[in-house]
């Protein structure tokens, strides 16, 4: 029995589109759950995180890293506010040498004037979005409404209605309120380096 061949339909993939949006954004507010944020990842660290996810995901993350690197070296760098839980500092991704290099890289980027890095300490216990990483993008002169991007195991998606963005803003504000300030976060990262 012959099966019917259906024409392939082009499917919009937010993960493929994300670097393009990031290239136009003026502000990127992001919350990671279990690894260092993709934009700050060293190649070795990213490779270790992607070992089981396949080449497509690795290529997508590489494009995100490259887009941020290009913007951060330009005359118009994107402002980044990054928040993540303290557990990220303890995940021995790629082994001790790779983790130590990654933490040192995190300290380095946190010194950039357009970057804010904050850590939610273990003492915060329960916090919003514990298992839901997201990135919230804003654009210049309202050329585009704010967009939030969420990447999950099976799919990625954008949300951009006013009501959804307000919820994202509330979550991000709550995470910032629970996190250490930039100086204390940097000290915590430095302590983690000495333990690796």
């Amino acid at each position: 029995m012959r099966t019917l061949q259906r024409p392939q339909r082009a499917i919009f993939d937010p993960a493929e589109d994300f670097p393009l949006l990031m290239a136009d954004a003026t502000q990127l507010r992001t919350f990671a759950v279990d690894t260092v944020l993709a934009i700050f990842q060293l190649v070795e660290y990213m490779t270790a995180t992607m070992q089981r996810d396949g080449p497509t995901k690795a290529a997508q993350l590489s494009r995100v890293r490259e887009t941020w690197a290009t913007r951060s070296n330009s005359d118009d760098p994107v402002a980044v506010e990054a928040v993540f839980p303290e557990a990220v500092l303890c995940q021995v991704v790629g082994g001790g040498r790779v983790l130590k290099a990654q933490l040192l890289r995190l300290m380095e980027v946190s010194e950039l004037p357009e970057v804010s890095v904050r850590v939610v300490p273990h003492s915060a216990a329960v916090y919003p979005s514990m298992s839901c990483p997201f990135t919230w993008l804003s654009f210049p002169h309202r050329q585009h409404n704010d967009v939030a991007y969420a990447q999950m195991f099976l799919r990625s998606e954008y949300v951009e209605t006013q009501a959804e963005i307000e919820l994202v803003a509330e979550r991000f504000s709550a995470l910032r309120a629970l996190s250490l300030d930039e100086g204390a976060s940097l000290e915590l990262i430095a302590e983690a380096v000495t333990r690796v």
Side-chain angles (χ1 to χ4, degrees):
M1 180 175 196
R2 210 172 105 208
T3 52
L4 207 62
Q5 293 288 334
R6 293 191 175 136
Q8 292 286 335
R9 288 187 351 211
I11 298 173
F12 174 72
D13 184 356
E16 289 289 331
D17 185 60
F18 181 71
L20 301 174
L21 272 184
M22 199 171 91
D24 292 333
T26 54
Q27 187 168 19
L28 186 149
R29 286 155 287 207
T30 187
F31 174 66
V33 174
D34 50 11
T35 60
V36 170
L37 301 152
I39 59 173
F40 301 146
Q41 287 181 11
L42 294 173
V43 172
E44 298 85 356
Y45 185 95
M46 185 197 74
T47 301
T49 65
M50 292 295 103
Q51 280 179 344
R52 297 180 193 268
D53 288 332
T56 301
K57 182 83 179 285
Q60 290 168 346
L61 283 181
S62 289
R63 283 192 293 279
V64 169
R65 284 177 58 252
E66 289 164 12
T67 301
W68 182 74
T70 300
R71 285 293 305 275
S72 66
N73 291 318
S74 74
D75 292 335
D76 183 30
V78 62
V80 177
E81 288 186 69
V83 178
F84 54 85
E86 186 177 350
V88 167
L89 306 176
C90 308
Q91 290 278 68
V92 188
V93 174
R97 183 188 60 77
V98 170
L99 176 60
K100 187 170 192 167
Q102 181 61 71
L103 294 177
L104 290 169
R105 171 65 177 153
L106 196 52
M107 292 176 68
E108 180 185 320
V109 296
S110 72
E111 298 287 345
L112 296 172
E114 69 274 10
V115 174
S116 166
V117 173
R118 291 174 174 257
V119 179
V120 178
H122 289 314
S123 59
V126 177
Y127 50 87
S129 299
M130 284 187 80
S131 59
C132 303
F134 63 88
T135 300
W136 169 22
L137 298 156
S138 296
F139 300 88
H141 312 299
R142 305 300 294 170
Q143 73 179 26
H144 192 296
N145 292 335
D146 283 10
V147 172
Y149 170 76
Q151 189 164 28
M152 293 156 274
F153 169 58
L154 293 174
R155 70 177 194 279
S156 306
E157 65 181 355
Y158 287 126
V159 295
E160 48 192 317
T161 69
Q162 187 63 34
E164 290 169 323
I165 295 299
E166 285 172 9
L167 286 172
V168 169
E170 286 173 19
R171 286 283 172 104
F172 195 78
S173 180
L175 286 163
R176 286 195 78 225
L178 286 170
S179 65
L180 302 172
D181 65 27
E182 292 168 17
S185 294
L186 188 56
E187 287 176 20
L188 198 60
I189 297 166
E191 287 171 22
V193 170
T194 66
R195 293 193 300 266
V196 177

